[in-house]
Amino acid sequence: MHKTCKLCPRACGVNRDKSLGVCQVSSTVKVARAALHFWEEPCISGENGSGAVFFSGCPLHCVFCQNEEISHGKVGAEITIEQLSQIYLNLQEQGANNINLVTGTHYIPEIVESISIARNAGLSIPVIYNTSGYETVESLQMLEGTVNAYLPDFKYMDSNLASKYSHAADYPDVAKKAIAEMVRQCPEVEYDDNGFINSGVIVRQLLLPGHVNDAKSIVEYLYGTYKDSIYLSLMSQYTPMAQIKEKYPELDRRVTKREYDTLVNYAIELGVTNAFTQDRKVAKESFIPDFLEGCGCPD
Ligand code: SF4
C-alpha cells in the first residue's frame, strides 16, 4: 500500500520505502509522542487523560501549524507495529480513558493491524481517530470496525482559504465526504456511564483570526446536514506561531473574544445544542505540549 502511496487525498503515488511524499515520512511508523493527554474535550480527556499517540508527519501542512517539528516528520522514533500495539496497552495500563490516534492518516494500514494485535492482547478502551479531516473515503473505510469514535477538524469551507493556508483547494469537498463516511460508520454519539465518548463523531472547528464568516459557514453546513447526530467543538485556542509572521501577518494574532462570541452565538441561533466551547484562556503558547521531550515509546 505504501509502494504507490495514495492513502490520503494528496495521492503522491510515491514508494515510501524509497522517497517521501507530502507527509514527509517513510512507510515505517514514526511516533513523536505517546502519553496521557489532558487537553482534549472533557468527554475524551476527563481527569485521567486520553492515551494520545502523536504520529510524525502530516499530509496537510497548514501554514499555522502548532507542531511543525512533528508535522514535518523531524522528530519521533521509528517503531514496529508490535511496539505500537504495546504503546496502546501501556497507555491503558496508565489509566487512559481511550486511545487517541493523532494524525495517523499516513499510517492507516499499520493502525488497523496494531489495534487488532492490541485488542487480542487485552486492549478494551475505545479508539478515537483524531484527524485534520483531510482523508479519503477509501482509507477511512479501512478503519471501520477499528475506530470507535472520530474527532475530525473541519478547517475551511472556502477553497481559497484552504489553498492559501493548507495548499489544498480540495479540502472543503474532501472534508465533507470524509465526515459523511465517519458518520456512516458512527451514526450517533454515545457516552459511557461516566460521560466518556464510546462512539460517534465530534467535529472540531478551529476559529482563525479574521475568518468568522468561514467558520459560520462550516457550522451552518454541519448542523444543517447532521443536526444533533454529531457534536461540534468550537475552538478558540488558535495560537500564532513564529513561522507565520512574515508571510501571513493577518494570522499573527489570537482570536478576539468578540470573534469567538460571534461564532458561538451564531451556533446557538441556529439551534445547535450538542457543542463544546472553549475558555479563551487556553490560547497560550504554554498550553501547547512540548513534543520534543521524547516520544514515550517502548525501547
Ligand atoms: S500518505 Fe503521504 S505519501 Fe501517501 S499520498 Fe498522502 S501525503 Fe502522499
Side-chain angles (χ1 to χ4, degrees):
M1 196 151 285
H2 296 316
K3 301 288 182 200
T4 52
C5 187
K6 293 185 177 169
L7 270 177
C8 84
R10 298 289 189 195
C12 302
V14 297
N15 180 347
R16 285 170 56 190
D17 291 331
K18 294 183 176 161
S19 57
L20 303 181
V22 175
C23 60
Q24 292 289 295
V25 280
S26 74
S27 56
T28 303
V29 173
K30 193 170 182 182
V31 168
R33 183 175 169 89
L36 294 177
H37 189 61
F38 299 91
W39 298 279
E40 311 287 24
E41 287 75 358
C43 65
I44 296 172
S45 290
E47 289 191 2
N48 290 348
S50 72
V53 180
F54 294 88
F55 292 98
S56 301
C58 176
L60 203 51
H61 295 305
C62 305
V63 298
F64 50 83
C65 181
Q66 318 262 298
N67 301 309
E68 262 204 331
E69 293 282 303
I70 294 178
S71 64
H72 285 78
K74 290 179 185 158
V75 296
E78 292 194 333
I79 59 172
T80 64
I81 290 173
E82 289 71 23
Q83 285 174 313
L84 184 56
S85 303
Q86 191 57 51
I87 285 175
Y88 307 145
L89 293 166
N90 291 349
L91 289 166
Q92 177 174 263
E93 182 73 22
Q94 291 168 41
N97 294 315
N98 41 61
I99 299 301
N100 178 7
L101 303 168
V102 185
T103 315
T105 313
H106 37 293
Y107 296 125
I108 282 179
E110 290 75 17
I111 284 173
V112 172
E113 189 178 347
S114 58
I115 292 288
S116 173
I117 293 169
R119 288 285 189 218
N120 288 332
L123 183 74
S124 59
I125 53 180
V127 171
I128 296 173
Y129 188 75
N130 186 336
T131 165
S132 67
Y134 198 58
E135 304 274 357
T136 68
V137 170
E138 293 75 19
S139 287
L140 291 171
Q141 286 171 344
M142 286 189 250
L143 292 169
E144 188 165 9
T146 293
V147 165
N148 299 94
Y150 285 97
L151 187 61
D153 298 335
F154 197 137
K155 294 176 182 288
Y156 321 98
M157 185 60 85
D158 181 345
S159 64
N160 291 319
L161 283 184
S163 176
K164 184 175 183 183
Y165 295 143
S166 292
H167 315 293
D170 60 347
Y171 180 93
D173 285 341
V174 165
K176 284 179 192 170
K177 288 179 187 152
I179 289 168
E181 172 60 21
M182 294 173 200
V183 175
R184 185 193 69 76
Q185 292 180 27
C186 303
E188 296 292 337
V189 177
E190 294 171 4
Y191 296 102
D192 69 13
D193 293 344
N194 297 313
F196 295 115
I197 192 162
N198 262 341
S199 177
V201 179
I202 300 174
V203 183
R204 289 173 157 176
Q205 208 293 313
L206 175 67
L207 180 58
L208 296 176
H211 293 298
V212 176
N213 286 341
D214 196 61
K216 285 163 80 173
S217 300
I218 290 168
V219 170
E220 184 181 359
Y221 168 78
L222 291 172
Y223 187 64
T225 307
Y226 299 108
K227 291 288 188 291
D228 293 330
S229 60
I230 63 169
Y231 268 66
L232 303 185
S233 182
L234 304 178
M235 306 177 80
S236 62
Q237 71 183 52
Y238 173 79
T239 306
M241 305 300 281
Q243 77 262 15
I244 50 98
K245 277 186 199 315
E246 201 174 312
K247 276 189 167 174
Y248 308 95
E250 73 277 17
L251 295 182
D252 191 22
R253 68 168 172 86
R254 286 181 52 193
V255 166
T256 65
K257 181 177 186 308
R258 186 171 176 184
E259 286 174 315
Y260 187 61
D261 287 349
T262 300
L263 179 63
V264 171
N265 289 335
Y266 181 72
I268 292 169
E269 283 165 21
L270 281 178
V272 174
T273 54
N274 290 349
F276 297 97
T277 56
Q278 268 187 325
D279 183 337
R280 288 177 66 261
K281 278 187 288 193
V282 301
K284 291 179 185 165
E285 205 161 343
S286 60
F287 200 75
I288 299 168
D290 180 359
F291 291 96
L292 303 177
E293 291 173 348
C295 77
C297 307
D299 294 330

